[in-house]
Amino acid sequence: MYLSIEGIHKSFNTKNKGKLKVLDNINLDIEQGDFVSIVGPSGCGKSTLLYLIAGLEKSDTGSITVSGKKVKNPGPDRVVVFQEDGLFPWLTVLDNVTYGLKLKGLSKKEIKEKAIDVLKMVHLSNYIDSYPHQLSGGMKQRVSIARALVMEPDILLMDEPFSALDEQTRMVLHKELLEIWRKTKVTIFFVTHNIREAVQLSEKVVVFATRPGRIKEIIPVPSTKDGIMPDSVTLYTEQKILKILQEEIEKVLKEEMGDDYSFETNHIHRDHSGDLGSNI
Ligand SMILES: Nc1ncnc2c1ncn2[C@@H]1O[C@H](COP(=O)(O)OP(=O)(O)OP(=O)(O)O)[C@@H](O)[C@H]1O
Ligand SMILES: [Mg+2]
C-alpha cells in the first residue's frame, strides 16, 4: 500500500482535562494517486491525523508509512496546504512560490521555470510580481497550492483549504484542483467540513466518529468515465454521509450544550449548502 496508516493512537496532555484521547486506532490505506476526503465533527482529530502524516506531530502508538518508508519528520514529499494561505507578505507571488525550492539546490533558471509552470496550472502567471495583499482570497489560496505543487510532493495534505472562500471562488478552485490532480497524479488527502465538497472532489470519503476520533465508515464516491456525475447520484451520496454524521454531530451538541440541547434532527437535512461547519 502506498500510504499506510496502522493502529494510530494519539492523546494530548491538557491543562484542565488531563489526558485527552484524540485518535483511537486509526487504520487506513490509500493508493497512489487517490483523492481521499476526511469529514467529521469539529474536534474529532482530522487535522491531528493530517499533521501526523505530515510528520508535524508524533503518534503514541502505530505507524504511518509512505511507499514503505516510515514517516518520522516533515519532508518535501508530503506538503500541507492550510486554511489560511500563510504566504510571506513581503515576498512577491514568484518569490513565495520559489521559497522552498531554493533549499533544493537548483539553478535560478530551473527554479523560475518550475515556479512559472505551477503558477500557470493555477492560472496566476500574470501575477508573478504581485504581493499577497494585492490578491483576492481565492488567488492567495492558489498561490499556496502552487507553492505546495512546486515541491513535486507525492502527497498533498489539504486542511480545509477552501473553507474561507465564497461559494463561487470555491467552485472555480474545485475545478482547478481536479485538473491539477488529473495532470500531476498527486495523491490528495483532503480534510473538509463540507460534505458536498468531499463528494464532488474525491473518490472516497472517510467519515470520522468523535471523542475519541475513529473511522466510522468509508464511503466510495461513484464516478463515471468522464468524471461527470448526475446530480441525483451526488445528492444520494451526500445524504448517505450526512446520515452517518448526524449521530456524531448530535453527540457533540448534546455534550456541549447539555440541558439546552434541543436540536431538531431534520434541521440538518434542510441545509442544502452541504456545509456542516456552522452546525457543528
Ligand atoms: N497540540 C495540542 N494540544 C492539546 N490538544 C490538542 C492539540 N491539538 C489538537 N488538540 C485537541 O485535539 C482535538 C482534535 O483536534 P483537531 O484539530 O485534530 O480536530 P479537527 O477534527 O481538525 O477539528 P476542526 O474540524 O474543528 O478543525 C481537539 O479537542 C483539540 O482541542
Ligand atoms: Mg481541523
Side-chain angles (χ1 to χ4, degrees), residues 58-247:
K58 298 227 178 315
S59 62
D60 303 336
T61 60
S63 67
I64 297 178
T65 52
V66 177
S67 280
K69 255 178 71 185
K70 262 197 180 172
V71 169
K72 289 190 177 137
N73 295 303
D77 56 327
R78 288 156 284 122
V79 180
V80 186
V81 176
F82 295 97
Q83 183 177 352
E84 296 84 28
D85 57 72
L87 301 175
F88 297 125
W90 60 88
L91 295 182
T92 62
V93 165
L94 185 67
D95 289 342
N96 264 288
V97 171
T98 56
Y99 190 84
L101 267 189
K102 288 179 181 153
L103 308 170
K104 277 195 162 180
L106 301 168
S107 73
K108 270 192 177 163
K109 190 168 165 266
E110 277 174 307
I111 289 178
K112 191 165 178 184
E113 276 170 8
K114 276 185 189 287
I116 292 189
D117 273 355
V118 291
L119 282 164
K120 270 189 195 149
M121 269 197 231
V122 295
H123 305 113
L124 277 183
S125 46
N126 291 336
Y127 293 86
I128 60 172
D129 295 323
S130 301
Y131 285 88
H133 74 273
Q134 296 170 317
L135 306 177
S136 68
M139 289 159 102
K140 280 192 248 188
Q141 209 50 335
R142 283 194 180 105
V143 180
S144 306
I145 294 172
R147 187 180 53 177
L149 286 174
V150 84
M151 303 305 289
E152 296 172 352
D154 298 322
I155 305 175
L156 199 54
L157 300 160
M158 308 186 89
D159 195 358
E160 303 194 43
F162 307 139
S163 59
L165 305 176
D166 63 83
E167 192 65 22
Q168 276 78 26
T169 309
R170 198 189 309 197
M171 274 162 56
V172 174
L173 281 169
H174 283 173
K175 199 165 158 272
E176 279 182 14
L177 183 62
L178 282 174
E179 277 166 16
I180 288 167
W181 173 60
R182 290 189 185 117
K183 203 165 166 181
T184 61
K185 303 194 168 62
V186 65
T187 307
I188 304 185
F189 184 93
F190 190 96
V191 170
T192 178
H193 275 122
N194 191 316
I195 295 173
R196 178 155 300 167
E197 178 171 77
V199 171
Q200 284 175 348
L201 290 177
S202 47
E203 299 173 301
K204 257 185 232 159
V205 181
V206 179
V207 185
F208 260 59
T210 190
R211 306 194 180 182
R214 287 151 289 137
I215 292 177
K216 192 158 182 181
E217 218 169 312
I218 299 175
I219 306 291
V221 180
S223 67
T224 53
K225 269 193 183 150
D226 55 8
I228 299 166
M229 288 307 298
D231 283 350
S232 58
V233 177
T234 310
L235 207 62
Y236 174 78
T237 314
E238 280 174 31
Q239 289 296 324
K240 198 163 147 184
I241 297 167
L242 200 52
K243 226 171 168 176
I244 302 166
L245 267 182
Q246 198 163 347
E247 214 180 283

Side-chain angles (χ1 to χ4, degrees), residues 10-15 17-18 20-23 38-51 57 83 159-160 191-193 208 210-211 213 277 280:
K10 175 74 184 165
S11 306
F12 286 112
N13 290 316
T14 63
K15 274 189 187 154
K17 293 181 184 165
L20 178 72
K21 201 173 178 183
V22 175
L23 294 174
I38 314 292
V39 299
S42 184
C44 71
K46 304 180 293 294
S47 297
T48 304
L49 182 59
L50 183 141
Y51 296 154
E57 285 280 2
Q83 183 177 352
D159 195 358
E160 303 194 43
V191 170
T192 178
H193 275 122
F208 260 59
T210 190
R211 306 194 180 182
I280 303 175

